[in-house]
Amino acid sequence: MTETDPRSLIRIARESGEDSTAEPLNLGERVRELRKARSWTLEQAAAQAGMARSTLSKIENGQMSPTYDALKKLAIGLEISVPQLFTPAPSAQVTARMTVTRSGGGADHATATYEHKLLATELSRKKMLPYQARIRARDLAEFDGWVRHEGEEFLYVLTGAVRFYSEFYAPVELKRGDTAYYDSTMGHNVISISDDDATILWVTSLG
């Protein structure tokens, strides 16, 4: 992978972040969390689930592993689906992160076909990679094969007009204000079809 490979943009966006490993979900803690979110006592939750209070207490304290039938009873009693028992609650923590990139700001990364300007570079561990690109390519032959990388991508044409090529679809012409959203593991390329270089806003998911 070279510095002009689009995948390097994702690496650049991530390199200042920290790797994180998801902690395994504790089923007992999750059940207790769901019960308390409803302001239910053990007795109330057990009654809703149609099981003994002692059984629910043992599940919450990790003293027994519930059968699938017990899980179904819990889910019905808590009015959720079984998979939601194993899904962590969304974080209520507000990070209050924010950054502003002024016009003309950003970090420049030029390739043979595009001139990228990375935006919001001050924030690490972003979940999206936003960048503006000037499309210099005028012919598909200027690319060394398909561009492809992990994630999903959103494209918004700012000025001019482009032709969007993709591995499994017919080419699409996009003008100012037009957008495209696509799986970026699918091969794709963009060329300018306007007199001047077209400019677009790209937003790539970082997973």
Side-chain angles (χ1 to χ4, degrees):
M1 181 174 65
T2 67
E3 286 300 315
T4 59
D5 190 307
R7 286 171 294 179
S8 69
L9 297 180
I10 295 177
R11 176 183 57 75
I12 290 166
R14 286 176 170 165
E15 62 188 3
S16 59
E18 300 175 0
D19 292 334
S20 60
T21 303
E23 293 294 327
L25 181 71
N26 184 309
L27 177 62
E29 290 180 1
R30 176 63 171 149
V31 171
R32 184 183 295 111
E33 178 184 70
L34 289 165
R35 172 175 65 80
K36 289 188 174 181
R38 290 157 175 77
S39 300
W40 289 350
T41 64
L42 272 170
E43 289 80 1
Q44 288 173 318
Q48 285 289 120
M51 62 174 56
R53 177 194 182 283
S54 59
T55 300
L56 180 56
S57 178
K58 289 178 180 178
I59 291 173
E60 287 192 0
N61 290 295
Q63 296 173 352
M64 69 174 289
S65 297
T67 63
Y68 183 70
D69 284 342
L71 289 175
K72 285 197 297 183
K73 288 182 178 180
L74 278 172
I76 292 171
L78 293 167
E79 299 179 340
I80 60 174
S81 65
V82 171
Q84 284 178 286
L85 288 171
F86 299 91
T87 304
S91 173
Q93 181 180 5
V94 178
T95 61
R97 300 202 309 161
M98 175 181 170
T99 186
V100 173
T101 304
R102 299 293 183 184
S103 177
D108 295 322
H109 290 276
T111 73
T113 50
Y114 305 140
E115 291 182 12
H116 297 302
K117 184 178 289 292
L118 300 184
L119 308 173
T121 55
E122 295 82 2
L123 293 181
S124 62
R125 289 175 287 174
K126 293 189 291 291
K127 295 183 179 180
M128 299 182 293
L129 172 61
Y131 56 101
Q132 185 174 319
R134 179 175 294 277
I135 312 301
R136 300 192 303 194
R138 291 296 196 280
D139 192 287
L140 196 59
E142 296 179 48
F143 294 88
D144 184 20
W146 289 115
V147 171
R148 65 175 85 243
H149 49 84
E150 60 185 287
E152 296 182 328
E153 205 155 57
F154 175 78
L155 175 161
Y156 182 96
V157 181
L158 298 171
T159 66
V162 300
R163 182 174 293 121
F164 176 78
Y165 291 91
S166 58
E167 193 172 7
F168 304 116
Y169 297 90
V172 179
E173 293 189 3
L174 303 170
K175 298 179 181 179
R176 179 180 178 182
D178 290 342
T179 68
Y181 186 107
Y182 51 93
D183 173 8
S184 47
T185 61
M186 171 180 68
H188 57 279
N189 295 114
V190 178
I191 68 169
S192 177
I193 56 174
S194 48
D195 293 337
D196 296 326
D197 293 343
T199 59
I200 62 178
L201 172 67
W202 253 313
V203 181
T204 300
S205 67
L206 293 175

